[in-house]
Amino acid sequence: SSELTQDPAVSVALGQTVRITCQGDSLRTYYASWYQQKPGQAPVLVIYGENNRPSGIPGRFSGSTSGNTASLTITGAQADDEADYYCHCRDASGHHLVVFGGGTKLTVL
Amino acid sequence: QVQLVQSGSDLKKPGASVKVSCTASGYTFTDYAINWVRQAPGQGLEWMGWISTSTGNPTYARGFTGRFVFSLDTSVSTAYLQISSLKAEDTALYYCARHVLLGASLFFDSWGQGTPVTVSS
């Protein structure tokens, strides 16, 4: 299957650690990338490759993969991290170049 | 710095066509492919396809064949998305994004600001 599955919603207390997960067969072959999207804004890349952050992305964001599951971890979540998060990777089935997960809405309490 | 700037919002009647532009700056346009992503109101991101800026060859995702056309004008570093025979369900925000291929990772490192297209009679 070329799908990526994410939990629709996750919440975290301010300053705590949260993990957002993404499952899919393609993740056994390719790394996920992660995008943050705030209301009314374009998505922003926060993690790519094995665990790389673009310039300007805070160090509290990290990524990891185990088997068919990729995770985005925010260590010490801030109010500004409240957003939708999408995983994305190449499609190992070959049907498409890439595939997106359905997105996870993160609420910081 | 790398920038993708898209054309402004558009309101069209059903059956009409729309052409969205995405103009790149800050890098060599033909070095990176351009992808198109749709986001329907209140929904997630949906990959529509991509176009090689070096060859002009487009690839369309399932569900985006027939009425959707990707094109380029490399002389002005611009990619285009044209949608014909518009339907109400085409109402969405359309993004262009540059992709980077790095080993086992392909990611969109720069995005346009999005172009809202509304289809309504």
Side-chain angles (χ1 to χ4, degrees):
Chain A
S1 168
S2 59
E3 293 181 350
L4 295 178
T5 302
Q6 298 181 241
D7 290 329
V10 170
S11 62
V12 61
L14 184 67
Q16 296 303 299
T17 296
V18 62
R19 178 174 292 182
I20 298 170
T21 61
C22 172
Q23 286 190 301
D25 290 341
S26 293
L27 296 171
R28 297 184 184 279
T29 306
Y30 298 112
Y31 288 117
S33 50
W34 291 90
Y35 303 87
Q36 176 193 69
Q37 187 180 35
K38 296 180 180 178
Q41 297 184 21
V44 172
L45 177 70
V46 295
I47 291 290
Y48 67 94
E50 188 169 5
N51 179 19
N52 300 292
R53 285 176 288 107
S55 173
I57 301 301
R60 61 180 180 272
F61 289 88
S62 63
S64 62
T65 303
S66 178
N68 73 336
T69 301
S71 300
L72 172 69
T73 300
I74 306 174
T75 304
Q78 302 300 303
D80 189 52
D81 299 334
E82 186 162 291
D84 293 326
Y85 291 86
Y86 295 92
C87 64
H88 164 266
C89 78
R90 287 191 71 169
D91 180 7
S93 75
H95 292 143
H96 290 154
L97 177 67
V98 297
V99 61
F100 281 101
T104 297
K105 181 174 180 55
L106 175 67
T107 300
V108 179
L109 304 171
Chain B
Q1 75 283 19
V2 173
Q3 217 174 0
L4 298 176
V5 177
Q6 298 184 225
S7 47
S9 61
D10 226 324
L11 172 62
K12 295 290 186 183
K13 294 188 185 303
S17 295
V18 67
K19 194 168 187 177
V20 177
S21 67
C22 170
T23 300
S25 61
Y27 71 99
T28 301
F29 181 65
T30 50
D31 282 350
Y32 297 87
I34 293 290
N35 292 256
W36 290 95
V37 176
R38 182 172 77 178
Q39 188 168 37
Q43 302 300 307
L45 303 174
E46 186 176 17
W47 182 70
M48 301 173 65
W50 68 289
I51 183 165
S52 167
T53 52
S54 57
T55 66
N57 184 49
T59 300
Y60 301 95
R62 283 186 292 192
F64 294 99
T65 56
R67 299 188 299 116
F68 300 83
V69 177
F70 307 149
S71 61
L72 303 171
D73 184 345
T74 55
S75 69
V76 290
S77 301
T78 299
Y80 300 95
L81 162 66
Q82 183 160 0
I83 311 172
S84 58
S85 302
L86 283 163
K87 307 174 184 181
E89 50 264 43
D90 294 322
T91 294
L93 197 51
Y94 291 88
Y95 291 103
C96 63
R98 182 181 91 158
H99 87 230
V100 176
L101 183 57
L102 199 63
S105 183
L106 187 154
F107 51 93
F108 295 173
D109 71 333
S110 185
W111 294 67
Q113 82 276 20
T115 296
V117 174
T118 303
V119 183
S120 174
S121 54

